[in-house]
Amino acid sequence: SNLGQELPEFEIEDVSGKAVTPKDLVGKPTLITYWSQGCGWCQRMLDDLRDWDKTKGQDEPNLIIVSAGDAELHKDIGLQSTILLDNEGVVSKSLGMSGTPSAVLINEHGKIISEVAVGADNIWSL
């Protein structure tokens, strides 16, 4: 388990081509969700993700989606939250996430504070 560990170092571009590193995630708890466009469960989660993305309050965690593939396709999903294109699988592997959808919660100091949750129900329970 990675519980209590710092996020591993990475630098990955988001869908607009901006580089993101773990330092960018410090300051607020963040739900890092490993997602895939070709995964039916992920597509089913999308409406709920969109709703939460639009309505979540200041005291709720940030949302980061880690996916792969074509940036343009991801821009069409309609999320305000950051979508990272981790085509090499760097982030997902280092966090121990193998299947989609899965997620971990990190705290405002960039430390991992949950086990990997797999499946929409388990992710929402974080």
Side-chain angles (χ1 to χ4, degrees):
S1 157
N2 294 330
L3 219 56
Q5 290 181 6
E6 300 270 331
L7 268 186
E9 273 305 312
F10 62 79
E11 183 171 311
I12 293 176
E13 291 190 354
D14 69 7
V15 288
S16 59
K18 178 174 164 282
V20 175
T21 71
K23 289 187 188 63
D24 296 312
L25 309 187
V26 171
K28 194 166 185 189
T30 301
L31 183 69
I32 301 178
T33 306
Y34 182 40
W35 195 85
S36 143
Q37 282 208 302
C39 137
W41 294 109
C42 300
Q43 295 291 348
R44 282 187 207 123
M45 248 189 105
L46 197 49
D47 285 340
D48 290 336
L49 271 178
R50 275 196 203 109
D51 288 346
W52 185 59
D53 189 50
K54 286 195 187 80
T55 59
K56 62 189 171 67
Q58 283 300 309
D59 52 347
E60 292 188 80
N62 285 334
L63 171 65
I64 289 227
I65 303 275
V66 177
S67 188
D70 184 61
E72 289 308 312
L73 285 174
H74 287 85
K75 287 181 185 169
D76 297 339
I77 323 184
L79 289 175
Q80 298 160 2
S81 296
T82 303
I83 302 176
L84 298 181
L85 294 180
D86 183 14
N87 290 323
E88 305 294 311
V90 180
V91 176
S92 47
K93 279 192 198 97
S94 62
L95 292 175
M97 296 193 276
S98 52
T100 55
S102 48
V104 296
L105 199 55
I106 61 167
N107 68 12
E108 64 276 18
H109 307 298
K111 282 207 164 83
I112 298 164
I113 55 170
S114 80
E115 299 291 349
V116 173
V118 180
D121 293 346
N122 294 329
I123 290 173
W124 291 122
S125 67
L126 290 179

